[in-house]
Amino acid sequence: MSLLTQLNEDMKQAMKNKEKERLSVIRMVKASIQNESIKLGKDELSEDEELTVLSRELKQRKDSLQEFSSAGREDLVEKLELEISVLQEYMPKQLSDDELTAIVQATIQEIGASSKKDMGKVMSAIMPKVKGKADGSKINKLVLQHLN
């Protein structure tokens, strides 16, 4: 089942259950996906492109969450936490720290990276492998640890 189909089903369910916040998040994600398809000039996005849009939306909310919590805006923090939890339902299962470490080590060996100068090469090789399954900043920290 495609993400858009799943979103439509969940949107109907949220309407029936009168879950306003959930419905709002689902509509926002649908709009983002539709805007992306218009931007790319396609009728439908591939799963990979849908995942990219979903990841972007999740990242925006996580960034905003940090800003709002440091500013002491608890009302907005709660709203964002709800939005993040709804968005995470549609994300693929996240990789564990052990799985990520194994991928990082294997990629470093594949590339033959030895210092921080090779950071860009390693990151560009890892990111397609873990797209949507791990946070980029977490991967960045792991790569730095292994390149030291």
Side-chain angles (χ1 to χ4, degrees):
M1 183 184 302
S2 77
L3 179 61
L4 211 48
T5 308
Q6 181 67 42
L7 287 169
N8 283 329
E9 293 299 315
D10 291 350
M11 189 170 80
K12 290 175 191 172
Q13 194 61 44
M15 283 181 194
K16 288 179 185 174
N17 297 343
K18 298 188 183 341
E19 299 169 302
K20 286 183 181 180
E21 294 84 8
R22 183 175 175 79
L23 181 61
S24 170
V25 174
I26 293 171
R27 283 182 172 154
M28 176 272 313
V29 172
K30 275 188 62 178
S32 295
I33 290 172
Q34 290 168 339
N35 287 340
E36 188 73 13
S37 68
I38 290 168
K39 187 173 110 180
L40 296 175
K42 296 182 176 183
D43 287 339
E44 272 190 47
L45 296 179
S46 68
E47 279 186 40
D48 201 37
E49 291 166 332
E50 289 177 340
L51 187 59
T52 301
V53 173
L54 202 56
S55 296
R56 185 182 328 131
E57 293 295 330
L58 192 58
K59 184 177 183 327
Q60 285 175 351
R61 273 155 190 74
K62 285 182 178 179
D63 292 345
S64 297
L65 184 67
Q66 288 178 335
E67 294 294 321
F68 291 147
S69 59
S70 65
R73 293 292 310 268
E74 290 305 314
D75 55 331
L76 295 174
V77 168
E78 285 179 31
K79 182 178 183 271
L80 279 175
E81 285 173 343
L82 175 85
E83 289 180 13
I84 288 170
S85 69
V86 171
L87 286 172
Q88 285 177 331
E89 292 175 22
Y90 299 102
M91 294 294 289
K93 182 182 172 288
Q94 298 294 294
L95 295 171
S96 70
D97 289 343
D98 294 338
E99 292 169 319
L100 276 178
T101 302
I103 292 170
V104 167
Q105 289 172 337
T107 306
I108 288 174
Q109 287 177 348
E110 281 173 28
I111 294 175
S114 57
S115 68
K116 286 185 181 180
K117 291 179 184 175
D118 301 320
M119 180 82 175
K121 291 179 191 173
V122 174
M123 288 299 290
S124 62
I126 289 177
M127 290 313 286
K129 295 178 185 178
V130 297
K131 186 170 190 138
K133 297 178 188 168
D135 185 40
S137 61
K138 193 175 189 179
I139 295 167
N140 195 340
K141 288 175 188 169
L142 279 173
V143 170
L144 277 174
Q145 285 175 1
H146 287 86
L147 285 179
N148 280 342

